[in-house]
Amino acid sequence: RRRGQNSSHTSPDVVEAVRALTTICADKYIAGFLNRNNLRTGRGNRWTQERVTSLRSKRKISKYSIERQEAEGWMNLTQASAYVSVSLKTLRLAVERGKVEAMHPLPDGPWIFKREHLDSPRVREVIKHIHQRRMHPVGHTPGELSLFK
């Protein structure tokens, strides 16, 4: 290699994951998510907070700030489930079934929600249906055996 030539570049998928994750968490957490997914830097190293910061700087990706997160309406799964008043599992299952829109940039990483999507009429109808189902449990069928007879 000649001086100044760099033959290693970070994967575009990693760059996009970092871009998405900066909406809800700081660089040290992003490094942890990248490592947990066994993703490496362009040179094959594990991710550190400093390496994520360097990548963001080179790619002109804004750093995480709570003010930006709140102003733009970004939420993680825990925040989103509290916002719509359903359990974490219920919201995750609704996303996996395509009823609620969310980003999941890494297979073993956080879900990312946008407040405007959660406020959409379609999602509000899904949440309303979930809450109504809680009030009217299925109950017993006539031929069902009881454990307590």
Side-chain angles (χ1 to χ4, degrees), residues 9-107:
H9 296 282
T10 302
S11 162
D13 293 339
V14 171
V15 175
E16 287 310 307
V18 169
R19 190 178 310 279
L21 290 169
T22 59
T23 60
I24 62 162
C25 59
D27 292 350
K28 69 179 180 178
Y29 300 109
I30 294 171
F33 292 131
L34 294 172
N35 289 327
R36 186 182 312 158
N37 283 274
N38 205 27
L39 298 171
R40 302 286 186 223
T41 67
R43 295 188 181 269
N45 296 316
R46 290 183 53 82
W47 287 96
T48 62
Q49 179 178 345
E50 292 76 19
R51 288 180 177 137
V52 173
T53 302
S54 175
L55 173 72
R56 275 192 319 88
S57 176
K58 289 177 186 172
R59 301 298 177 115
K60 297 182 175 32
I61 300 171
S62 301
K63 73 176 187 172
Y64 168 77
S65 78
I66 188 94
E67 294 82 14
R68 188 183 91 184
Q69 179 184 3
E70 290 173 358
E72 295 178 5
W74 295 107
M75 298 180 215
N76 62 30
L77 180 62
T78 304
Q79 295 163 332
S81 69
Y83 183 75
V84 296
S85 302
V86 297
S87 71
L88 299 171
K89 184 176 181 179
T90 300
L91 184 57
R92 185 181 47 77
L93 289 173
V95 170
E96 290 174 355
R97 292 179 181 142
K99 296 181 179 191
V100 176
E101 188 176 336
M103 291 188 295
H104 196 217
L106 298 171

Side-chain angles (χ1 to χ4, degrees), residues 100-130:
V100 176
E101 188 176 336
M103 291 188 295
H104 196 217
L106 298 171
D108 192 4
W111 289 91
I112 303 172
F113 296 83
K114 185 109 177 174
R115 186 182 318 112
E116 67 188 40
H117 296 151
L118 296 174
D119 287 337
S120 73
R122 179 177 168 227
V123 172
R124 286 290 167 193
E125 189 61 36
V126 168
I127 300 304
K128 180 180 171 188
H129 178 72
I130 290 168

